Amino acid sequence: SSWVALRAPVMAGCSEQQLRVVRHFILSAPPLEVGEVLKDCEKIVGAPFEAEWLQTVLAEHTEQGLYAVDVEDAKGIICPQAKMEGGYLLPSTDTVFQVDHVEQKVTSTRPATEEEMGARSRSEPYRSEVQKVLKTYLGEHFLGQNACCTYGTDNEDGSITIDVVVTAMDHSVRNFWSGSWASQWKTTLTPGAATCEIKGDVRLGMHYYEDGNVQLRHSKQHSQQLEGVDTEAGFGKAVVAAIRAGDGKVHTAMEQLYQRMGDEPLKAMRRVLPVSKEKFDWTPARHLVAIQLAAGAQKS
């Protein structure tokens, strides 16, 4: 990883204003490219960053970007839903893991305590069913570094809340692009009820940098009423069907955008006439005469 070389045990030679600017660059970095951004920032300020500050800002970047990491034989996601004191929770294996945000690797794991897991006896069957169906969906539709995690909570009023986080990233240095697709979903259900509502946010980011620097960022909120959720199996299928529908709407909208881009945004950016305000004459003879006159003028 290009992040490894950025571990900074050295002096903090930056002003507060410089650190604010660098923090902005880090949080705005394209997916899987923050290492390159940091290298350039280090050159600009002329000094390495203080290690503790770097860990804090990179933690903010990875949580915001929903980065996936290997947790033993499973995949965990660095996200606000998983964050707890001393690490991040992976509910599918009841594991708490700690992360070195500079190297982007898990440094330690341990079993979660009952207090850390919280009350979830009612929500766990629903959470595990969603996780099972969701993994199948990811395997069918997502490439690159992808992961999904589900989190369940038993509420005091007898209802349960299920949070779902999906993330996928890829980066091709040879072809000058990177991209990410992430979504977060939440639903609250009273066990036994036939319906409930799910709300989610789908975000995607793309970066193309061959002889240029073009970024696209897009987000879309989605809500849907779920039917047939009175069993764990029905709930799992309904939740993943809603996620599939939300992803599909965003995917279709992006395809339509690119189909229109040549006729609308790019056309609006082009000049109707050149700077001379004269239409280009495509008659070859006229330009041949101009070339000959110019050549004759140079000889004389």
Side-chain angles (χ1 to χ4, degrees):
S1 170
S2 60
W3 294 19
V4 179
L6 295 167
R7 180 171 292 284
V10 235
M11 56 186 171
C14 306
S15 68
E16 288 188 14
Q17 183 178 6
Q18 286 176 319
L19 291 177
R20 283 197 298 270
V21 172
V22 171
R23 177 180 173 275
H24 170 75
F25 285 151
I26 291 173
L27 297 183
S28 303
L32 302 176
E33 295 183 56
V34 70
E36 300 304 318
V37 173
L38 276 170
K39 285 180 181 178
D40 290 340
C41 289
E42 201 170 62
K43 292 176 184 176
I44 292 171
V45 300
F49 303 110
E50 195 271 328
E52 186 177 351
W53 179 87
L54 195 57
Q55 284 282 351
T56 301
V57 178
L58 286 175
E60 192 175 354
H61 170 80
T62 51
E63 287 176 20
Q64 177 181 291
L66 306 177
Y67 276 62
V69 289
D70 293 318
V71 185
E72 297 174 342
D73 295 329
K75 285 279 189 182
I77 299 178
I78 304 171
C79 62
Q81 293 86 340
K83 190 174 184 178
M84 58 175 50
E85 188 174 349
Y88 300 88
L89 176 66
L90 180 57
S92 58
T93 60
D94 295 348
T95 301
V96 175
F97 59 94
Q98 291 185 319
V99 177
D100 183 325
H101 294 280
V102 175
E103 296 191 8
Q104 261 306 273
K105 290 182 179 179
V106 172
T107 56
S108 66
T109 61
R110 61 173 175 80
T113 64
E114 290 186 10
E115 183 180 354
E116 288 171 328
M117 293 303 300
R120 61 166 196 162
S121 59
R122 297 193 310 275
S123 61
E124 178 56 23
Y126 292 87
R127 185 208 66 78
S128 60
E129 188 65 30
V130 173
Q131 181 75 20
K132 181 178 71 174
V133 182
L134 194 58
K135 285 185 72 174
T136 301
Y137 170 63
L138 253 70
E140 294 172 348
H141 295 279
F142 287 82
L143 300 174
Q145 301 178 23
N146 67 74
C148 61
C149 286
T150 51
Y151 307 87
T153 305
D154 293 358
N155 302 317
E156 293 182 358
D157 62 0
S159 65
I160 63 171
T161 297
I162 303 295
D163 286 279
V164 180
V165 180
V166 178
T167 183
M169 297 182 182
D170 208 351
H171 183 204
S172 177
V173 176
R174 186 179 65 178
N175 295 304
F176 306 100
W177 64 262
S178 66
S180 65
W181 186 292
S183 61
Q184 301 177 78
W185 305 83
K186 180 187 286 285
T187 181
T188 298
L189 166 75
T190 299
T195 64
C196 66
E197 184 182 28
I198 187 170
K199 294 183 178 181
D201 174 68
V202 181
R203 300 179 314 186
L204 61 95
M206 288 170 278
H207 183 211
Y208 296 91
Y209 51 96
E210 183 176 10
D211 295 328
N213 183 10
V214 179
Q215 289 196 54
L216 173 89
R217 298 191 181 203
H218 177 73
S219 65
K220 178 72 175 177
Q221 279 71 45
H222 182 73
S223 64
Q224 182 175 326
Q225 196 71 17
L226 304 183
E227 306 287 342
V229 296
D230 49 337
T231 64
E232 290 94 338
F235 178 76
K237 291 178 181 177
V239 167
V240 176
I243 294 173
R244 184 192 299 266
D247 286 345
K249 287 182 179 179
V250 173
H251 190 268
T252 300
M254 295 308 300
E255 285 188 330
Q256 292 172 347
L257 169 67
Y258 284 119
Q259 289 171 358
R260 298 193 311 267
M261 189 168 284
D263 295 328
E264 295 176 11
L266 295 182
K267 188 174 182 180
M269 294 169 63
R270 292 195 291 262
R271 294 180 185 271
V272 178
L273 292 173
V275 177
S276 64
K277 305 298 183 183
E278 295 181 1
K279 290 185 178 180
F280 186 79
D281 189 343
W282 292 96
T283 307
R286 175 177 176 179
H287 302 291
L288 181 60
V289 170
I291 293 171
Q292 290 173 342
L293 289 173
Q298 288 179 355
K299 288 180 180 180
S300 60

Short mmCIF file of all heavy atoms in Angstrom, two decimals, residues 178-205:
data_model
loop_
_atom_site.label_atom_id
_atom_site.label_comp_id
_atom_site.label_asym_id
_atom_site.label_seq_id
_atom_site.Cartn_x
_atom_site.Cartn_y
_atom_site.Cartn_z
N SER A 178 -10.63 5.48 -10.90
CA SER A 178 -11.05 4.82 -9.67
C SER A 178 -12.54 5.09 -9.49
O SER A 178 -13.09 6.04 -10.06
CB SER A 178 -10.27 5.35 -8.45
OG SER A 178 -10.58 6.71 -8.21
N GLY A 179 -13.19 4.25 -8.69
CA GLY A 179 -14.62 4.44 -8.50
C GLY A 179 -15.11 3.77 -7.23
O GLY A 179 -14.47 2.84 -6.71
N SER A 180 -16.21 4.27 -6.72
CA SER A 180 -16.81 3.68 -5.50
C SER A 180 -18.33 3.74 -5.60
O SER A 180 -18.89 4.63 -6.24
CB SER A 180 -16.34 4.43 -4.25
OG SER A 180 -16.83 5.76 -4.26
N TRP A 181 -18.97 2.77 -4.95
CA TRP A 181 -20.43 2.72 -4.86
C TRP A 181 -20.75 2.29 -3.44
O TRP A 181 -20.30 1.24 -2.99
CB TRP A 181 -20.98 1.71 -5.86
CG TRP A 181 -22.48 1.67 -5.94
CD1 TRP A 181 -23.35 1.24 -4.98
CD2 TRP A 181 -23.29 2.06 -7.06
NE1 TRP A 181 -24.65 1.35 -5.42
CE2 TRP A 181 -24.65 1.84 -6.71
CE3 TRP A 181 -23.00 2.56 -8.32
CZ2 TRP A 181 -25.71 2.11 -7.56
CZ3 TRP A 181 -24.07 2.83 -9.18
CH2 TRP A 181 -25.40 2.61 -8.80
N ALA A 182 -21.48 3.11 -2.71
CA ALA A 182 -21.78 2.79 -1.32
C ALA A 182 -23.21 3.19 -0.99
O ALA A 182 -23.74 4.14 -1.56
CB ALA A 182 -20.81 3.52 -0.38
N SER A 183 -23.81 2.47 -0.07
CA SER A 183 -25.16 2.82 0.37
C SER A 183 -25.35 2.47 1.83
O SER A 183 -24.70 1.55 2.36
CB SER A 183 -26.21 2.12 -0.50
OG SER A 183 -26.11 0.71 -0.39
N GLN A 184 -26.22 3.22 2.49
CA GLN A 184 -26.56 2.99 3.89
C GLN A 184 -28.08 2.99 4.01
O GLN A 184 -28.76 3.87 3.48
CB GLN A 184 -25.96 4.08 4.77
CG GLN A 184 -24.44 4.17 4.68
CD GLN A 184 -23.87 5.30 5.50
OE1 GLN A 184 -23.73 5.21 6.71
NE2 GLN A 184 -23.52 6.40 4.84
N TRP A 185 -28.60 2.01 4.75
CA TRP A 185 -30.04 1.79 4.85
C TRP A 185 -30.46 1.58 6.30
O TRP A 185 -29.70 1.03 7.09
CB TRP A 185 -30.46 0.58 4.01
CG TRP A 185 -30.04 0.68 2.58
CD1 TRP A 185 -28.80 0.36 2.06
CD2 TRP A 185 -30.81 1.14 1.48
NE1 TRP A 185 -28.77 0.60 0.71
CE2 TRP A 185 -30.00 1.07 0.32
CE3 TRP A 185 -32.12 1.60 1.36
CZ2 TRP A 185 -30.45 1.45 -0.93
CZ3 TRP A 185 -32.59 1.96 0.10
CH2 TRP A 185 -31.76 1.89 -1.02
N LYS A 186 -31.66 2.00 6.62
CA LYS A 186 -32.17 1.82 7.99
C LYS A 186 -33.67 1.53 7.94
O LYS A 186 -34.41 2.16 7.17
CB LYS A 186 -31.93 3.07 8.84
CG LYS A 186 -32.43 2.95 10.29
CD LYS A 186 -32.32 4.27 11.04
CE LYS A 186 -30.90 4.59 11.39
NZ LYS A 186 -30.40 3.76 12.52
N THR A 187 -34.11 0.57 8.73
CA THR A 187 -35.53 0.27 8.86
C THR A 187 -35.84 -0.15 10.28
O THR A 187 -35.01 -0.78 10.95
CB THR A 187 -35.95 -0.84 7.87
OG1 THR A 187 -37.36 -1.08 8.02
CG2 THR A 187 -35.19 -2.13 8.12
N THR A 188 -37.01 0.23 10.75
CA THR A 188 -37.49 -0.17 12.07
C THR A 188 -38.76 -0.99 11.91
O THR A 188 -39.68 -0.59 11.19
CB THR A 188 -37.76 1.06 12.95
OG1 THR A 188 -36.54 1.78 13.14
CG2 THR A 188 -38.30 0.65 14.32
N LEU A 189 -38.79 -2.14 12.56
CA LEU A 189 -39.87 -3.11 12.38
C LEU A 189 -40.37 -3.59 13.73
O LEU A 189 -39.58 -3.83 14.65
CB LEU A 189 -39.36 -4.30 11.56
CG LEU A 189 -40.22 -5.57 11.53
CD1 LEU A 189 -41.43 -5.36 10.62
CD2 LEU A 189 -39.40 -6.77 11.08
N THR A 190 -41.68 -3.75 13.86
CA THR A 190 -42.25 -4.44 15.01
C THR A 190 -42.42 -5.90 14.60
O THR A 190 -43.18 -6.18 13.67
CB THR A 190 -43.61 -3.84 15.40
OG1 THR A 190 -43.42 -2.46 15.75
CG2 THR A 190 -44.20 -4.59 16.59
N PRO A 191 -41.70 -6.83 15.23
CA PRO A 191 -41.78 -8.24 14.82
C PRO A 191 -43.23 -8.73 14.76
O PRO A 191 -44.01 -8.49 15.67
CB PRO A 191 -40.99 -8.97 15.91
CG PRO A 191 -40.00 -7.95 16.37
CD PRO A 191 -40.73 -6.64 16.32
N GLY A 192 -43.56 -9.37 13.65
CA GLY A 192 -44.92 -9.84 13.44
C GLY A 192 -45.74 -8.93 12.55
O GLY A 192 -46.76 -9.35 12.00
N ALA A 193 -45.31 -7.66 12.41
CA ALA A 193 -46.04 -6.71 11.56
C ALA A 193 -45.83 -7.09 10.09
O ALA A 193 -44.80 -7.65 9.72
CB ALA A 193 -45.56 -5.29 11.81
N ALA A 194 -46.82 -6.76 9.26
CA ALA A 194 -46.76 -7.15 7.85
C ALA A 194 -46.02 -6.14 6.99
O ALA A 194 -45.57 -6.45 5.88
CB ALA A 194 -48.16 -7.35 7.29
N THR A 195 -45.88 -4.89 7.48
CA THR A 195 -45.24 -3.85 6.68
C THR A 195 -44.28 -3.03 7.54
O THR A 195 -44.40 -2.99 8.77
CB THR A 195 -46.26 -2.90 6.04
OG1 THR A 195 -46.94 -2.19 7.08
CG2 THR A 195 -47.27 -3.67 5.20
N CYS A 196 -43.35 -2.37 6.87
CA CYS A 196 -42.47 -1.38 7.51
C CYS A 196 -41.87 -0.54 6.40
O CYS A 196 -42.00 -0.85 5.22
CB CYS A 196 -41.38 -2.04 8.37
SG CYS A 196 -40.19 -3.00 7.42
N GLU A 197 -41.19 0.53 6.77
CA GLU A 197 -40.58 1.42 5.79
C GLU A 197 -39.06 1.34 5.90
O GLU A 197 -38.51 1.24 7.00
CB GLU A 197 -41.04 2.86 6.01
CG GLU A 197 -40.52 3.82 4.95
CD GLU A 197 -40.93 5.27 5.18
OE1 GLU A 197 -41.15 5.63 6.35
OE2 GLU A 197 -41.04 6.03 4.21
N ILE A 198 -38.41 1.40 4.76
CA ILE A 198 -36.95 1.44 4.73
C ILE A 198 -36.51 2.72 4.02
O ILE A 198 -37.15 3.15 3.06
CB ILE A 198 -36.36 0.20 4.02
CG1 ILE A 198 -34.83 0.18 4.16
CG2 ILE A 198 -36.76 0.15 2.55
CD1 ILE A 198 -34.18 -1.12 3.70
N LYS A 199 -35.47 3.35 4.56
CA LYS A 199 -34.91 4.55 3.95
C LYS A 199 -33.42 4.34 3.74
O LYS A 199 -32.76 3.71 4.57
CB LYS A 199 -35.15 5.78 4.84
CG LYS A 199 -36.62 6.16 4.97
CD LYS A 199 -36.78 7.43 5.80
CE LYS A 199 -38.24 7.84 5.90
NZ LYS A 199 -38.41 9.08 6.69
N GLY A 200 -32.91 4.88 2.65
CA GLY A 200 -31.50 4.70 2.36
C GLY A 200 -30.91 5.82 1.54
O GLY A 200 -31.62 6.67 1.01
N ASP A 201 -29.60 5.79 1.45
CA ASP A 201 -28.84 6.80 0.70
C ASP A 201 -27.80 6.06 -0.13
O ASP A 201 -26.98 5.30 0.41
CB ASP A 201 -28.17 7.78 1.67
CG ASP A 201 -27.26 8.75 0.94
OD1 ASP A 201 -27.79 9.58 0.20
OD2 ASP A 201 -26.03 8.68 1.13
N VAL A 202 -27.85 6.25 -1.44
CA VAL A 202 -26.89 5.63 -2.36
C VAL A 202 -25.92 6.71 -2.83
O VAL A 202 -26.34 7.77 -3.31
CB VAL A 202 -27.60 4.99 -3.57
CG1 VAL A 202 -26.58 4.32 -4.49
CG2 VAL A 202 -28.64 3.98 -3.10
N ARG A 203 -24.62 6.45 -2.70
CA ARG A 203 -23.60 7.41 -3.12
C ARG A 203 -22.61 6.74 -4.06
O ARG A 203 -22.24 5.59 -3.85
CB ARG A 203 -22.82 7.94 -1.91
CG ARG A 203 -23.64 8.65 -0.86
CD ARG A 203 -22.75 9.09 0.29
NE ARG A 203 -21.84 8.01 0.69
CZ ARG A 203 -21.04 8.10 1.74
NH1 ARG A 203 -21.01 9.19 2.46
NH2 ARG A 203 -20.25 7.10 2.06
N LEU A 204 -22.20 7.48 -5.06
CA LEU A 204 -21.16 6.95 -5.93
C LEU A 204 -20.17 8.06 -6.27
O LEU A 204 -20.52 9.24 -6.28
CB LEU A 204 -21.75 6.34 -7.20
CG LEU A 204 -22.56 7.23 -8.13
CD1 LEU A 204 -21.66 7.76 -9.24
CD2 LEU A 204 -23.71 6.46 -8.75
N GLY A 205 -18.95 7.65 -6.53
CA GLY A 205 -17.90 8.60 -6.91
C GLY A 205 -17.02 7.99 -7.98
O GLY A 205 -16.73 6.79 -7.95
#
